[in-house]
Amino acid sequence: MNGAREHWGSRLGFILAAAGSAVGLGNIWRFPYVTGTNGGAAFLIIYLVAIVLIGYPMMITEVGIGRRTQRNPVGAFKALAPNTPWWLVGALGVLTGFVILSYYSVVAGWSLSYIFKAIAGFTPEMAFDELFVGHISQIGEPILWHLIFMALCVGIIAAGVVRGIQRWVKLLMPILAVLLVVVALRALTLPGAGEGVAFYLQPDFSEVTGTTFLDAIGQSFFTLSLGMGAMITYGSYLKKEDTVPGNGAYVVGADTAIAIIAGFAIFPAVFALGLEPGAGAGLTFITLPAVFAEIPAGSFFAFLFFVLLSIAALTSAISLMEVVVAWITDEKGMPRKTATILVGAISFVVGIPTVLGYSVLSDVTFLGFDLLDTYDWIANAIMLPVGGLLTAIFAGYVWTAKKAQEDFNTPPSRIVLGNWYGVMIKFIVPIAIILVLVFGIIDVV
Ligand code: PHE
């Protein structure tokens, strides 16, 4: 251990950092689409239930483990269960953070490059599918943007928790919120926007199937950055007098609000132009630029959109990097700057195959996935649920729900965890995650 542990300068510092981690690509390109195709408002209701029953209990569990132990995920499990193999759950989290960071940075690099493509201007005659495929199937350019994005993360993380993370999220998160509202207002005021709102929210219970529930649970997990120690790490910079249930509620609320607003930014615009909505990279880098190209001052709004997407990715990526850096500095005693540069350099290299997967390595596939989707699938479908499941079992049965609940309720806060916490963390959360894990694997294999 080197020196005293840093702590957030204020409650807001923690809330913005944790919300920054939670609000990411998942909110902008996944949530709206999953909602639109799973019955709109019908899905939203199920999603909100999943957030309350599964996301919130897991959020406070992770934040609470961090606050209690004041350690990185590996050290946290060691502190609560000394001389047992439970620290491996923390180690899995560190590894997951590392894997997600390596390809998240590649996608964030595409977003950075699109800021400049938007500045150069989007016009209706452009073929946006070719533009995108042309970009990602190059080698030098995407690798350079990946490097630039990773360097930004390194710069922020090396500066420390308060002077790095907190300082930047305090600047960036308000900008993100304002940009999102501006883009949503632009979209909602386009002629024909109503159809998009209808697609997004019209409740259609006939679309609700077993998969809808699994999608809702899976999304609630990924979007809140759960299952890999990010919230344990950020929680470890809380002081003992900071509350867990209250702070956790703000983070969950902010993430949910941003996800819902993102839907209002995307669908009205897509439908106003009579285009088909899609998900993921296609929606963000092909459909939306085509939409922006058609509307007045569209390149300007495209610029704002890619700035906001890049900010969302950056504040998530730094939380991934912080998990690994906290582990190395706490457990191995390496100075923070050295650790950060090392982690940045290794993740940069580990991410490179996901770039090459669209050119020289395009023949390499796994279960039909290209390399980037393979990294993504292994992390999201396997590593996050396994990490979350083991964390829930640990809190519920090893540390015990009763002790955890008592710890999280001190000092007293406006939200008091009742005995329902034990029911959730011991039964509901593990069962839900097992279902997601099993059906997620069956679905693909
Ligand atoms: N929550 C982020 C998103 O929605 C992704 C993420 C997962 C970030 C896990 C950090 C840790 O995009």
Side-chain angles (χ1 to χ4, degrees), residues 98 101-102 105 146-147 150-151 153-154 321 324-325 328 337-351:
F98 193 77
L101 177 63
S102 71
S105 167
H146 167 45
L147 180 67
M150 198 64 90
C153 295
V154 168
M321 189 176 263
V324 190
V325 168
I328 301 181
K337 284 203 172 59
T338 322
T340 310
I341 294 170
L342 186 73
V343 172
I346 301 178
S347 323
F348 168 68
V349 173
V350 173

Side-chain angles (χ1 to χ4, degrees), residues 20-27 100 104 219 221-226 228 230 255 312 316-317 319-320 380 384:
S21 169
V23 174
L25 299 171
N27 298 60
I100 300 183
Y104 211 83
Q219 174 68 9
F221 224 71
F222 180 75
T223 191
L224 292 174
S225 306
L226 297 170
M228 46 77 58
D255 182 75
S316 293
S319 74
L320 295 162
N380 289 325
L384 287 186

Side-chain angles (χ1 to χ4, degrees), residues 364-376:
V364 185
T365 56
F366 174 76
L367 301 171
F369 292 132
D370 61 40
L371 276 171
L372 193 140
D373 289 343
T374 303
Y375 277 45
D376 185 47

Side-chain angles (χ1 to χ4, degrees), residues 54-259:
I54 294 149
Y56 182 65
M58 275 307 285
M59 174 65 70
I60 49 179
T61 302
E62 293 199 16
V63 172
I65 289 177
R67 187 199 61 167
R68 156 74 186 231
T69 58
Q70 302 280 300
R71 305 282 292 277
N72 68 93
V74 173
F77 283 94
K78 279 189 183 161
L80 287 172
N83 305 318
T84 66
W86 279 100
W87 63 271
L88 287 167
V89 181
L92 174 67
V94 172
L95 185 68
T96 311
F98 193 77
V99 171
I100 300 183
L101 177 63
S102 71
Y103 71 85
Y104 211 83
S105 167
V106 170
V107 177
W110 299 345
S111 178
L112 287 180
S113 84
Y114 266 68
I115 295 178
F116 293 88
K117 292 195 194 319
I119 292 176
F122 287 153
T123 54
E125 329 61 79
M126 288 165 81
F128 289 100
D129 41 356
E130 282 165 32
L131 183 74
F132 179 58
V133 174
H135 177 72
I136 65 172
S137 59
Q138 288 173 53
I139 295 178
E141 248 202 69
I143 291 184
L144 181 64
W145 285 112
H146 167 45
L147 180 67
I148 292 172
F149 183 82
M150 198 64 90
L152 289 174
C153 295
V154 168
I156 295 174
I157 292 298
V161 175
V162 174
R163 288 192 317 136
I165 303 176
Q166 174 172 310
R167 179 151 158 230
W168 283 97
V169 295
K170 274 193 154 166
L171 174 74
L172 295 175
M173 292 308 286
I175 297 179
L176 182 148
V178 170
L179 291 182
L180 186 61
V181 170
V182 169
V183 177
L185 287 177
R186 169 69 279 196
L188 284 168
T189 48
L190 288 170
E195 237 181 283
V197 176
F199 169 78
Y200 181 34
L201 289 181
Q202 207 161 63
D204 181 355
F205 286 91
S206 70
E207 295 278 345
V208 174
T209 61
T211 335
T212 311
F213 288 88
L214 297 177
D215 279 349
I217 299 165
Q219 174 68 9
S220 73
F221 224 71
F222 180 75
T223 191
L224 292 174
S225 306
L226 297 170
M228 46 77 58
M231 293 300 167
I232 296 182
T233 307
Y234 275 8
S236 77
Y237 304 123
L238 282 171
K239 298 187 196 103
K240 296 275 183 195
E241 14 350 323
D242 292 315
T243 67
V244 170
N247 282 315
Y250 273 106
V251 176
V252 172
D255 182 75
T256 308
I258 299 266

Side-chain angles (χ1 to χ4, degrees), residues 383-405:
M383 296 172 90
L384 287 186
V386 169
L389 175 64
L390 293 173
T391 305
I393 292 174
F394 177 83
Y397 298 93
V398 181
W399 186 16
T400 74
K402 204 166 161 293
K403 278 197 208 147
Q405 184 185 331

